Amino acid sequence: NIFLSPDISTCLDCQEDFENPHSRFYKYPFVNCTNCGPRFSIILDYPYDRNNTTMNKFPMCPECEKDYKNIFSRRYHAQPISCNNCGPIYKLYDRNLIELAVGNIFDKVSELISEGNIIAVKGIGGYHLILSAKNISAIKKLRERKKRDRKPFALLFRDLELVEEYAHVSLFEEEVLKSKEKPIVLLKKKKNIIDSDYDLISGNSPYYGVMLPYAPVHYLILDKNPILICTSANISGEPIVYREDDLKRIADIADYFFIHNRDIERFVEDSVVRVLQTPFLNEKYQKILYRKSRGYAPSPLFLNRSFNKKIIGLGSDLKSTISILKEDNLIQSQYLGDLADYESYIAYQKTYEDIKKIYDFEPGIYISDLHPSYLSTKFAEEISCGKELRRVQHHKAHIASVCLENNIFEEPVIGIALDGTGYGEDGMIWGGEIFLGSLKEGFERVGHLSYTPFPFGDLAIKAPERTYLSYLFSMDIEDGKFYEILSDNTKLHLSTLEKVVKKSHIFTSSTGRLFDCISYLLGFKKKISYEGEPAIELENLIYRKFNIDNEIDSYLVKISNKEPYIIDVKEILKGVFNDWLGDVESELISLKFHSTLVNVFAEVVSLISSKYKIKRVALSGGAFQNNYLMYNFLKKISQSKLTPIINKYSPPNDACISVGQCALALY
């Protein structure tokens, strides 16, 4: 079996060398040792030797070669070893990629940042766009150029003390921030970095996405600008730029380019993590991955039993990843993006070939999503070449991923999968599902949110007004106040749109679309600027006046009295609509809606658990990135003397689908 190390942040020993004026690594932006530095992003082939990495064009100086061969040195066989005398170097270019002759290049970069410029900085796994987090005009310029209207930006802080000035940091959050992976950690704001009514960095979010420096170059550019916006260098929706040939994609965004001459073999974006306090569980903190990449990928998942199979899971079209499973371990790729973007799809195809080559892996079983129109499904059909190809239902893969990551193979579980979209076995759009089963016996759908007409497809996902209309017309709502909030153009075509909804042959049980409907009602009237935005804004409403552990009476909900247990969303919406008409504050309506979802699903779980004597409950799906839902589902289930289990190796969003696909092919 072949295992590759992820890229690891600069260790404390190398930081000391970096700060030591007598060291040949003094202020060297590529200092590393066997305990830290680039790995996954630079390897060309196996075995992991220097000549098989992108460091192969940098001959070692005598001193580095001496360390490399010294068994007592911590740089013994450190493949990326180099120093100021023999390693890669940085150069500064203007936006026309003409090299600039400057004295101290890092002082110049700091000066340019202070002046409000956007710098494209080549790092470990790709380019970042870096600018001052306190320069309003620079941030506005970045949003306009990057076509990123409202999605929050990540922040790079010089040190933990400065982080604590602007955000609350628990002991476990501090541990994750300072870990060898150094991910972006979502921290609750203490105060705004920019003193203004609207936070240009994170919008309405009560959180900042924060990371500490993980590469030596960060320490150099943070010296005079201690808080930086540090976001992937791309147009929103595209993969991160990591090769010089692709710099034209960001030529209209960056003012300057800060480029080193070590090639990046594969792009690796920053990982994103949230820490959830769970005092009611044995594990008092849960580390939940939102994006799994640098620092975590491609670490293996070790299973407690072995299978004589070679399986590849080709994932979903959103939050795409690829996983391979052989014998007693599984390896998942880094985050690859959304395949609807051409550049992401090209990267996805390249990753497939890369995995086969670097792990010397030839799949025996190919697994794709059930959706016939997914690019990943069509790709699986093209590459399987007569070998066994199985198509797995999306939400079953969600639950299967949790089982595999917790080494549960034959024991039955109750599974709750909540998200926006997944092609169902009946041809409808699922997304609010309850399952019963195991990896060995498979999973059966035993409950779900009631169906609602959904004729508008992707248009409604991007413009929640259409989703709102689908629910209104399906409930025969006549009160004119619910139509007054519609756009003028939509009002002109109401009768036509109603006919479309009434004649729809497509229905959905999606949790995400229910969130979109209520978010629109409570004020989110914009076109969506990033995936999940209406649901995120609906959750954010809670935190304006309430906390994550606030409990409240739920709306009344009807549940069918036999399997499959159908949760009537119309009853939930009646409660929401009545409160809205009664001028109940939006924050309270959002809290009651969230609380209702938790309580009604917990009630169905209790019915199933009592009937089948099953104690484990698996939770997965993009909706469990909602902090309130995850916290209160875990709390409610544990209070019922049941055992909740969640994704630990992969994110609960669609990134885990490739893991679950492999899991469902084991038997």
Side-chain angles (χ1 to χ4, degrees), residues 202-492:
S202 64
N204 294 324
S205 174
Y207 300 95
Y208 278 135
V210 171
M211 59 182 161
L212 293 174
Y214 60 82
V217 67
H218 293 157
Y219 295 99
L220 292 165
I221 60 178
L222 283 162
D223 186 42
K224 296 177 181 176
N225 295 280
I227 310 175
L228 298 171
I229 286 176
C230 183
T231 186
S232 299
N234 59 1
I235 297 293
S236 291
E238 295 182 358
I240 189 172
V241 168
Y242 69 107
R243 288 181 169 170
E244 282 63 63
D245 290 345
D246 294 327
L247 288 179
K248 59 183 179 293
R249 286 166 45 200
I250 56 170
D252 294 331
I253 304 178
D255 296 310
Y256 294 89
F257 294 84
F258 197 40
I259 304 174
H260 64 69
N261 58 339
R262 181 180 68 202
D263 291 338
I264 298 172
E265 176 61 15
R266 59 189 58 77
F267 72 86
V268 188
E269 300 215 35
D270 295 317
S271 295
V272 182
V273 169
R274 186 195 291 280
V275 173
L276 184 64
Q277 294 189 40
T278 50
F280 40 81
L281 298 178
N282 290 332
E283 294 181 69
K284 302 306 178 188
Y285 293 91
Q286 309 294 321
K287 183 175 69 177
I288 301 171
L289 288 162
Y290 279 27
R291 182 169 70 202
K292 178 185 173 185
S293 216
R294 178 187 52 76
Y296 296 98
S299 295
L301 170 68
F302 294 108
L303 310 179
N304 62 14
R305 62 182 65 186
S306 184
F307 297 86
N308 187 26
K309 294 187 176 184
K310 297 172 75 174
I311 306 166
I312 187 163
L314 292 158
S316 177
D317 275 21
L318 292 176
K319 305 286 189 296
S320 184
T321 61
I322 296 173
S323 293
I324 57 174
L325 190 152
K326 178 184 176 184
E327 296 175 358
D328 62 349
N329 63 80
L330 175 139
I331 294 170
Q332 184 181 42
S333 75
Q334 74 275 36
Y335 164 82
L336 299 173
D338 298 340
L339 301 190
D341 174 77
Y342 174 76
E343 296 292 344
S344 295
Y345 185 54
I346 296 301
Y348 173 83
Q349 293 175 308
K350 181 182 182 299
T351 299
Y352 166 73
E353 297 295 341
D354 187 38
I355 285 173
K356 287 181 62 181
K357 172 189 172 185
I358 209 159
Y359 290 104
D360 191 24
F361 184 84
E362 189 59 44
I365 304 174
Y366 291 77
I367 315 294
S368 76
D369 195 270
L370 188 64
H371 199 305
S373 298
Y374 268 6
L375 288 170
S376 54
T377 303
K378 294 180 181 295
F379 183 64
E381 292 168 352
E382 293 172 9
I383 62 175
S384 53
C385 301
K387 292 185 179 179
E388 184 177 356
L389 171 61
R390 301 185 194 176
R391 295 170 179 84
V392 168
Q393 201 282 321
H394 184 92
H395 300 96
K396 291 183 178 181
H398 268 298
I399 302 306
S401 71
V402 178
C403 292
L404 189 72
E405 292 176 29
N406 288 273
N407 273 294
I408 298 171
F409 298 93
E410 299 178 6
E411 179 186 345
V413 303
I414 301 166
I416 301 176
L418 306 181
D419 66 4
T421 300
Y423 188 78
E425 291 171 340
D426 57 0
M428 300 304 165
I429 302 169
W430 292 6
E433 313 304 316
I434 305 173
F435 297 99
L436 178 65
S438 66
L439 293 184
K440 184 176 182 180
E441 300 297 332
F443 294 96
E444 178 186 356
R445 189 191 197 199
V446 293
H448 58 87
L449 295 177
S450 60
Y451 280 132
T452 297
F454 193 68
F456 302 116
D458 288 346
L459 175 63
I461 294 173
K462 295 175 182 177
E465 182 181 58
R466 294 297 176 95
T467 300
Y468 173 73
L469 276 177
S470 294
Y471 284 99
L472 281 190
F473 290 141
S474 70
M475 294 173 65
D476 295 317
I477 298 293
E478 296 181 357
D479 193 317
K481 289 183 179 179
F482 291 101
Y483 298 92
E484 290 174 3
I485 64 175
L486 297 170
S487 65
D488 291 339
N489 184 59
T490 297
K491 290 175 184 176
L492 294 174

Side-chain angles (χ1 to χ4, degrees), residues 580-650:
W580 183 77
L581 285 173
D583 292 326
V584 174
E585 58 187 6
S586 296
E587 295 87 350
L588 183 57
I589 294 175
S590 179
L591 177 63
K592 286 180 71 175
F593 166 65
H594 279 77
S595 182
T596 299
L597 276 186
V598 173
N599 289 330
V600 71
F601 273 96
E603 184 177 345
V604 176
V605 164
S606 181
L607 290 171
I608 298 169
S609 175
S610 298
K611 182 177 180 179
Y612 295 99
K613 310 303 179 188
I614 294 173
K615 295 297 183 183
R616 289 190 192 269
V617 183
L619 308 175
S620 189
F624 286 107
Q625 290 185 171
N626 180 308
N627 214 28
Y628 184 92
L629 287 185
M630 179 64 95
Y631 177 90
N632 286 284
F633 263 97
L634 291 172
K635 183 178 180 181
K636 195 78 174 180
I637 290 167
S638 63
Q639 286 175 341
S640 301
K641 307 302 181 185
L642 304 177
T643 304
I645 52 174
I646 62 175
N647 292 99
K648 294 185 176 181
Y649 173 76
S650 62

Side-chain angles (χ1 to χ4, degrees), residues 87-298:
I89 58 172
Y90 270 99
K91 292 183 179 181
L92 182 63
Y93 300 82
D94 67 15
R95 66 185 317 176
N96 296 313
L97 294 177
I98 297 172
E99 185 180 350
L100 301 178
V102 296
N104 187 313
I105 196 169
F106 293 99
D107 283 348
K108 182 62 178 178
V109 169
S110 295
E111 178 186 323
L112 291 171
I113 291 172
S114 298
E115 291 171 352
N117 290 290
I118 300 169
I119 316 294
V121 179
K122 186 178 181 182
I124 289 179
Y127 280 80
H128 285 105
L129 297 170
I130 288 181
L131 61 151
S132 170
K134 294 199 171 189
N135 190 309
I136 293 175
S137 61
I139 300 171
K140 287 181 176 179
K141 179 169 62 174
L142 178 64
R143 287 207 175 276
E144 181 180 346
R145 291 181 182 178
K146 204 172 189 287
K147 300 177 183 177
R148 183 165 167 164
D149 295 338
R150 296 180 297 274
K151 189 175 182 180
F153 288 123
L155 292 163
L156 180 64
F157 279 76
R158 183 167 59 196
D159 53 48
L160 182 64
E161 289 71 28
L162 195 55
V163 173
E164 291 176 323
E165 183 179 335
Y166 293 96
H168 299 276
V169 186
S170 70
L171 288 175
F172 194 73
E173 285 168 335
E174 177 181 339
E175 184 180 316
V176 177
L177 275 171
K178 295 164 68 175
S179 68
K180 66 182 188 299
E181 293 85 6
K182 291 276 182 75
I184 297 168
V185 182
L186 299 177
L187 301 174
K188 193 166 185 180
K189 290 181 193 175
K190 191 179 287 183
K191 66 177 183 180
N192 286 355
I193 291 171
I194 298 174
D195 187 16
S196 62
D197 292 335
Y198 181 76
D199 192 331
L200 281 170
I201 297 170
S202 64
N204 294 324
S205 174
Y207 300 95
Y208 278 135
V210 171
M211 59 182 161
L212 293 174
Y214 60 82
V217 67
H218 293 157
Y219 295 99
L220 292 165
I221 60 178
L222 283 162
D223 186 42
K224 296 177 181 176
N225 295 280
I227 310 175
L228 298 171
I229 286 176
C230 183
T231 186
S232 299
N234 59 1
I235 297 293
S236 291
E238 295 182 358
I240 189 172
V241 168
Y242 69 107
R243 288 181 169 170
E244 282 63 63
D245 290 345
D246 294 327
L247 288 179
K248 59 183 179 293
R249 286 166 45 200
I250 56 170
D252 294 331
I253 304 178
D255 296 310
Y256 294 89
F257 294 84
F258 197 40
I259 304 174
H260 64 69
N261 58 339
R262 181 180 68 202
D263 291 338
I264 298 172
E265 176 61 15
R266 59 189 58 77
F267 72 86
V268 188
E269 300 215 35
D270 295 317
S271 295
V272 182
V273 169
R274 186 195 291 280
V275 173
L276 184 64
Q277 294 189 40
T278 50
F280 40 81
L281 298 178
N282 290 332
E283 294 181 69
K284 302 306 178 188
Y285 293 91
Q286 309 294 321
K287 183 175 69 177
I288 301 171
L289 288 162
Y290 279 27
R291 182 169 70 202
K292 178 185 173 185
S293 216
R294 178 187 52 76
Y296 296 98

